[in-house]
Amino acid sequence: MSVEQVAITVTAETESISVVRHFVTSAGRFLGMGADMDVVALLTSELTANAVGLSAGEVVVTVRCIEDRLRVEVRDFGYGLPQVAHPEAVDQGGGRGLMIVDQLADDWGVDQFLPGKIVWFEMSSTVRSRESLDRRVP
């Protein structure tokens, strides 16, 4: 049996962002994905910060393998849809998160629920063999 996804639920608090960064990095390695985990952690932090800013209770972060891609989903239970800020609006503080996601992710989008939404992104990856992973683990 192989694991294809893992998830964590955190409270919508600023402290949860660092927890999620650590989780997504570990999850990517656990799933054997070859995506740039520093970039994945950055993008996940940006999406989680947006969700935390809504103060809508919980945030659920799911990391999954879809063929040769790593997909990260950040679900919140707040209202409103995220939008990529225009460059002139970024100088007003905030608004950079989705610009970063838009530039660095291979694909991203939003699936809306009531209440809430899932903001997701995907990164190309190469699935490493379990043997190569085992050699890296001390």
Side-chain angles (χ1 to χ4, degrees), residues 9 14-15 17 23 33 35 41 54 66 74-75 102 106-107 110 126 136:
T9 301
T14 304
E15 296 79 20
I17 297 169
F23 166 77
M33 301 304 289
L54 297 173
I66 302 175
V74 178
R75 181 174 186 166
D102 190 52
D106 292 329
D107 195 12
V110 180
T126 55
R136 293 184 48 183

Side-chain angles (χ1 to χ4, degrees), residues 23-36:
F23 166 77
V24 76
T25 302
S26 298
R29 284 194 299 255
F30 175 76
L31 294 171
M33 301 304 289
D36 184 336

Side-chain angles (χ1 to χ4, degrees), residues 65-134:
C65 300
I66 302 175
E67 296 175 8
D68 65 341
R69 294 168 291 151
L70 179 70
R71 180 180 175 115
V72 176
E73 300 173 350
V74 178
R75 181 174 186 166
D76 67 62
F77 298 90
Y79 291 95
L81 294 175
Q83 296 180 344
V84 177
H86 299 287
E88 61 275 3
V90 172
D91 293 336
Q92 298 171 1
R96 292 175 185 86
L98 286 179
M99 284 180 54
I100 294 169
V101 172
D102 190 52
Q103 291 293 314
L104 297 178
D106 292 329
D107 195 12
W108 74 279
V110 180
D111 299 327
Q112 189 172 9
F113 299 91
L114 292 175
K117 67 200 140 303
I118 294 174
V119 184
W120 56 268
F121 69 88
E122 295 179 353
M123 300 286 294
S124 295
S125 180
T126 55
V127 179
R128 299 180 196 151
S129 70
R130 180 58 58 189
E131 180 182 9
S132 68
L133 286 174
D134 289 343

Side-chain angles (χ1 to χ4, degrees), residues 17 41-51 96-98 100-101:
I17 297 169
L42 171 65
L43 301 184
T44 305
S45 293
E46 295 296 341
L47 297 184
T48 303
N50 288 348
R96 292 175 185 86
L98 286 179
I100 294 169
V101 172

